[in-house]
Amino acid sequence: MHQASAQLPFQLAQLLIALANQGVSDIHLEAQEKQYVVRERLLGSLRQHDIIPRHIGEQWVAALKNAAGADVTQRRTAQDGRFNITYNQLALDCRFSVLPTLWGEKVVLRLFNQHSQALPLSELGLLPEQYQQAVQALQARHGLILVTGPTGSGKTRTLYAMLEHINHATINISTVEDPIEIPLTGINQTAVRQNGLMRFADCLRALLRQDPDVIMVGEIRDAETAQMTVQAAQTGHLVLATLHASHAMAALVRLQQLGVSHAQIAGALTLLVNQRLIVLGNKRTGVFDFNVVDAQAQQVLLSSPHNSDYWQRTAELLKPVHIDP
């Protein structure tokens, strides 16, 4: 095995590379009373991969903390970090999180293949009508395109495909991400710093002074980022963003929980996409629900959430149409 950029035990490094090659998005290393359990998230679903002796698990946790720049001696607080692994033609970026639990420390790794390529919009698995709706939304000079779905469902890949579709020398496209999953030529990509010195909201505020035409926000995580994202979409910018939500209605509820008013949502949101991944044969493909926010949808969203029928009318408006792939 080639020398990894992170100094990890050989067996652990092999495991990370093998699972990344299989398309695993997250690896969980969980402490139990007498052992450690390794679980993997593939296509959005979590499943057990292996059980290892407790002493091996503790060695792996210490090695991962060291690689990620975390304090190896601190076992009572949560810590974050990241590191890289290179092997043959694979360059793997690993985002690290450790949390103390009853029987020891639990580690979760998010895996990103640095050599991945953005798919063309036409190859995402969109239905013809959905493709046209996406193209139309991307042609607008302002508005919010919001992509939702569970962890590992490919939300960021969808945004990358959309950005590549409009990537042109005449357009200033900037992103703020955590981390940058795929380098895109011609697009200005900024990574959020893990030490807390540069948050999503900080990056977004700086990007707005960079004369952007299009902004991509990797994830709306807090109230400040939500407010700034919506305001940017209302003030002459096309904004693409992701939000963790299981369906369209949940996305609207989450935005309002983050302090975005129903009027702001109605005035900014142009396209709401919910997606998940499924397996067809040996191929992974996306299944999408598209909700175009037209004049009728805006009228419903502008009505008061305090009305007894507000959420019922909104649910009917955003009811997904499931089509068997």
Side-chain angles (χ1 to χ4, degrees):
M1 182 174 181
H2 293 179
Q3 182 67 35
S5 53
Q7 299 297 317
L8 296 178
F10 178 78
Q11 187 179 4
L12 174 58
Q14 272 195 324
L15 174 68
L16 300 187
I17 295 297
L19 293 183
N21 280 327
Q22 295 170 21
V24 169
S25 62
D26 300 83
I27 298 174
H28 294 227
L29 184 59
E30 302 175 347
Q32 296 187 354
E33 184 177 8
K34 297 180 180 180
Q35 61 198 17
Y36 263 79
V37 174
V38 181
R39 297 203 287 172
E40 61 187 49
R41 187 176 298 279
L42 182 64
L43 302 176
S45 297
L46 197 61
R47 65 186 183 187
Q48 183 170 302
H49 174 81
D50 198 5
I51 296 176
I52 60 176
R54 184 173 175 86
H55 72 280
I56 297 295
E58 291 173 344
Q59 292 174 12
W60 285 10
V61 170
L64 291 168
K65 290 172 71 174
N66 184 64
D71 185 350
V72 179
T73 64
Q74 180 56 262
R75 298 182 180 181
R76 296 183 179 181
T77 61
Q79 299 186 71
D80 298 313
R82 65 177 39 160
F83 58 89
N84 298 319
I85 291 179
T86 56
Y87 174 66
N88 290 340
Q89 300 301 312
L90 179 65
L92 192 62
D93 181 49
C94 303
R95 189 170 67 190
F96 165 92
S97 173
V98 64
L99 182 72
T101 65
L102 175 63
W103 298 113
E105 293 178 289
K106 174 187 175 180
V107 168
V108 175
L109 299 175
R110 170 63 62 88
L111 308 180
F112 300 96
N113 185 349
Q114 296 178 355
H115 291 165
S116 296
Q117 300 295 319
L119 288 174
L121 187 62
S122 59
E123 295 183 13
L124 280 181
L126 302 178
L127 300 171
E129 181 181 1
Q130 294 173 335
Y131 177 82
Q132 291 302 322
Q133 290 170 337
V135 169
Q136 184 175 356
L138 290 167
Q139 289 173 343
R141 292 183 178 271
H142 61 86
L144 173 62
I145 298 175
L146 187 61
V147 179
T148 70
T151 299
S153 60
K155 298 183 294 295
T156 304
R157 284 295 187 93
T158 296
L159 293 192
Y160 280 155
M162 290 181 173
L163 292 181
E164 284 284 66
H165 185 80
I166 58 175
N167 189 8
H168 192 272
T170 61
I171 301 176
N172 179 17
I173 302 176
S174 298
T175 76
V176 51
E177 309 173 54
D178 181 23
I180 296 170
E181 294 187 26
I182 302 176
L184 301 175
T185 302
I187 293 177
N188 307 292
Q189 297 173 268
T190 301
V192 175
R193 296 179 185 174
Q194 291 298 302
N195 58 13
L197 297 179
M198 200 168 185
R199 303 167 302 139
F200 267 104
D202 298 325
C203 291
L204 185 52
R205 187 178 294 107
L207 288 184
L208 290 171
R209 295 192 289 265
Q210 292 281 313
D211 187 30
D213 297 301
V214 180
I215 299 171
M216 190 269 266
V217 180
E219 183 183 344
I220 297 175
R221 295 179 177 174
D222 55 68
E224 188 178 6
T225 302
Q227 286 286 346
M228 293 184 66
T229 298
V230 171
Q231 290 170 10
Q234 292 179 299
T235 55
H237 306 91
L238 178 62
V239 182
L240 291 73
T242 73
L243 180 71
H244 281 290
S246 57
H247 51 81
M249 276 291 295
L252 297 185
V253 172
R254 179 60 180 151
L255 283 176
Q256 294 198 22
Q257 289 175 337
L258 290 173
V260 181
S261 71
H262 65 289
Q264 287 177 307
I265 296 172
L269 191 60
T270 56
L271 179 63
L272 179 56
V273 179
N274 184 261
Q275 72 176 78
R276 54 218 175 273
L277 287 181
I278 63 171
V279 179
L280 293 176
N282 295 322
K283 183 180 179 181
R284 296 185 296 169
T285 188
V287 176
F288 301 84
D289 293 322
F290 268 49
N291 294 277
V292 176
V293 182
D294 54 16
Q296 178 189 1
Q298 286 182 330
Q299 196 67 28
V300 172
L301 292 173
L302 279 170
S303 61
S304 174
H306 300 294
N307 293 342
S308 59
D309 64 343
Y310 174 82
W311 291 111
Q312 180 179 347
R313 292 176 63 199
T314 305
E316 287 297 322
L317 183 72
L318 300 180
K319 186 176 182 181
V321 178
H322 297 290
I323 303 175
D324 293 331

